[in-house]
Amino acid sequence: MDGSRSPTGLTGLLGTWGVTRLVLLLCVFKVYVFPGPDVTTDVSVIYRGWYDVLSTGTFPVDDVTWQYPPAAALAILSPALLPFLDYASAFFVLALLADLAVLVLLLTAGRSPRGARVWVAGVALLGPTVYARYDLMVTAVAVAALLAGVRHPRALGALAGLGALLKVWPVLLLAGAVRRRAWGAAAATVGALSALFALAVPGAFAFLSSQRDRGTEVESLGALVLHVARHLGWSGEVLLNYGSVEFLGPHVDVVSDAALGLTAAAFGWLLLWRLRATRFAPHTLADAALTAVLLFTATSRVISPQYLVWLVGLAAVCQCFRESRMGPPTALVLAASAVTVLEFPVWFDHVVESDALGLTLLFLRNGLLVAATVTAAVRLWRSTVPRAHRPPADPGQAAVRSKGTRVSS
């Protein structure tokens, strides 16, 4: 029996979850002040401001920091479910419940318990930022979609469609879907909900222009070029722009365009894989989802710390399948999570200053993400795309060789 399937193993896992999550709650409730900038201001200031606007029946179209699909309003409004708490406290409690929901889903998946261990460890490694962003709620939807999708493709499609309207990236869960029912359910869900939001709430899709105008965020892969350029006399600067800390100055647009080019190349590789792949096992759905999200995260113009919770959640689902090929990428994602909490929030000022410590942390974290991406892509390809075989020999030539062999013997 697996250790975590025994009563003692399960008790230990739940105990570890309880202790680590208590520490996270103590941090977001500021009983313990976590090093670095206050990660909770997004909830208490930005989210709360959006909540006030959304409560009037419209989207915050005049706020360039609102860069999310329309269903994100559901997450922002969710603290209203706990009216006996103030907004921020209610949000943190709901984040805890979403975290617990993922753990329960992973434990009851009926497969390997390794996934639950990955989730418990990964969220703890990322620190209190996880509870101060709504990405944890989106990840819960994504985990539910992948676990349901093995047997129920329509459930996969519906949940992936909902997730896409929460924060776009869950549409990538469909990368490994082989049944049209999943795609059909996703399209129907997105279409119905989009129409509902567009008709009922003004400004539902105003977020598209804000996303288009974003630049290169200081933690992204492309930003490493600009960090190094600062030491070589580049005249750009780091400022809060479109809700994140970005580089502004000469040639930043070139770096941003290069990142978009890498993303396009990633999409091209994913499409090529989908056309060439012929071997689909139950675990392929999760393996493909992790690989796809890694590809688009690593090449993005923005790699915010909360993005890592997406990867942790998908890696945890992969580890629910003993046959999954994503063991090494999962280890690299966990290592990247441990470095991420150091670069934000602990030593984020060093990142902003582009000093030696900040550059070291960024090169290490982004290097781990690139390594995880390449490793996942290679392992997914090898496990699903058949190797090229030599064409069969001409029957006449084969007969001659066979006859010659008999004579010589």
Side-chain angles (χ1 to χ4, degrees):
M1 178 182 291
D2 192 291
S4 64
R5 286 297 185 187
S6 67
T8 303
L10 181 59
T11 299
L13 183 64
L14 294 176
T16 302
W17 182 89
V19 170
T20 55
R21 275 35 175 192
L22 176 60
V23 172
L24 294 183
L25 287 176
L26 291 175
C27 291
V28 293
F29 279 107
K30 300 180 182 178
V31 176
Y32 169 74
V33 179
F34 201 77
D38 183 4
V39 300
T40 66
T41 54
D42 275 38
V43 175
S44 59
V45 178
I46 299 176
Y47 286 12
R48 179 53 199 263
W50 292 341
Y51 174 89
D52 291 337
V53 175
L54 289 166
S55 298
T56 67
T58 185
F59 283 91
V61 293
D62 296 326
D63 186 348
V64 295
T65 62
W66 176 261
Q67 301 167 4
Y68 307 106
L74 301 177
I76 302 302
L77 292 170
S78 63
L81 297 171
L82 303 176
F84 48 89
L85 295 175
D86 64 84
Y87 182 86
S89 298
F91 186 92
F92 300 145
V93 170
L94 290 172
L96 173 70
L97 293 177
D99 181 0
L100 178 60
V102 173
L103 179 64
V104 172
L105 285 169
L106 294 169
L107 285 173
T108 58
R111 302 178 182 92
S112 171
R114 293 177 301 174
R117 297 192 200 118
V118 169
W119 179 253
V120 171
V123 172
L125 288 172
L126 286 169
T129 304
V130 174
Y131 276 16
R133 305 291 188 272
Y134 85 91
D135 297 79
L136 190 54
M137 303 171 186
V138 184
T139 302
V141 173
V143 169
L146 287 177
L147 291 175
V150 176
R151 292 189 177 91
H152 306 287
R154 287 193 179 93
L156 164 65
L159 289 170
L162 172 61
L165 287 178
L166 282 167
K167 205 164 187 182
V168 181
W169 68 265
V171 73
L172 296 171
L173 302 179
L174 298 170
V178 295
R179 298 185 182 180
R180 294 180 181 179
R181 285 175 290 175
W183 290 89
T189 301
V190 170
L193 290 179
S194 296
L196 179 63
F197 279 112
L199 292 173
V201 188
F205 293 94
F207 77 97
L208 293 171
S209 61
S210 294
Q211 278 288 352
R212 178 196 62 207
D213 296 333
R214 293 193 76 166
T216 296
E217 191 255 353
V218 294
E219 297 163 278
S220 65
L221 182 65
L224 291 173
V225 176
L226 299 174
H227 280 291
V228 173
R230 293 178 84 181
H231 291 272
L232 301 176
W234 178 65
S235 59
E237 54 187 346
V238 174
L239 294 173
L240 184 64
N241 189 53
Y242 286 98
S244 64
V245 181
E246 298 181 353
F247 278 110
L248 297 176
H251 312 302
V252 173
D253 56 335
V254 176
V255 175
S256 297
D257 290 344
L260 290 174
L262 285 176
T263 299
F267 178 80
W269 181 91
L270 197 61
L271 180 60
L272 177 62
W273 165 77
R274 196 66 176 79
L275 293 172
R276 295 285 303 278
T278 58
R279 298 194 296 258
F280 288 85
H283 62 85
T284 305
L285 180 67
D287 288 2
L290 175 60
T291 303
V293 176
L294 273 168
L295 283 165
F296 284 87
T297 299
T299 59
S300 174
R301 292 173 295 172
V302 179
I303 306 180
S304 296
Q306 62 268 24
Y307 290 12
L308 273 292
V309 75
W310 315 345
L311 302 175
V312 169
L314 299 182
V317 176
C318 290
Q319 296 310 302
C320 286
F321 301 88
R322 296 183 184 278
E323 302 83 4
S324 172
R325 302 295 305 278
M326 294 295 126
T330 295
L332 290 166
V333 165
L334 291 177
S337 299
V339 179
T340 294
V341 74
L342 298 178
E343 64 91 1
F344 185 91
V346 176
W347 286 316
F348 189 60
D349 55 335
H350 293 276
V351 173
V352 172
E353 293 297 325
S354 303
D355 65 18
L357 177 58
L359 278 174
T360 299
L361 291 172
L362 279 185
F363 270 103
L364 181 57
R365 196 282 301 273
N366 291 346
L368 287 167
L369 286 180
V370 170
T373 303
V374 173
T375 304
V378 169
R379 295 175 78 84
L380 178 66
W381 184 279
R382 289 178 175 175
S383 66
T384 56
V385 177
R387 293 182 180 180
H389 296 286
R390 289 183 179 180
D394 179 77
Q397 293 179 350
V400 170
R401 286 197 298 268
S402 176
K403 181 178 180 181
T405 301
R406 287 196 298 271
V407 171
S408 62
S409 62

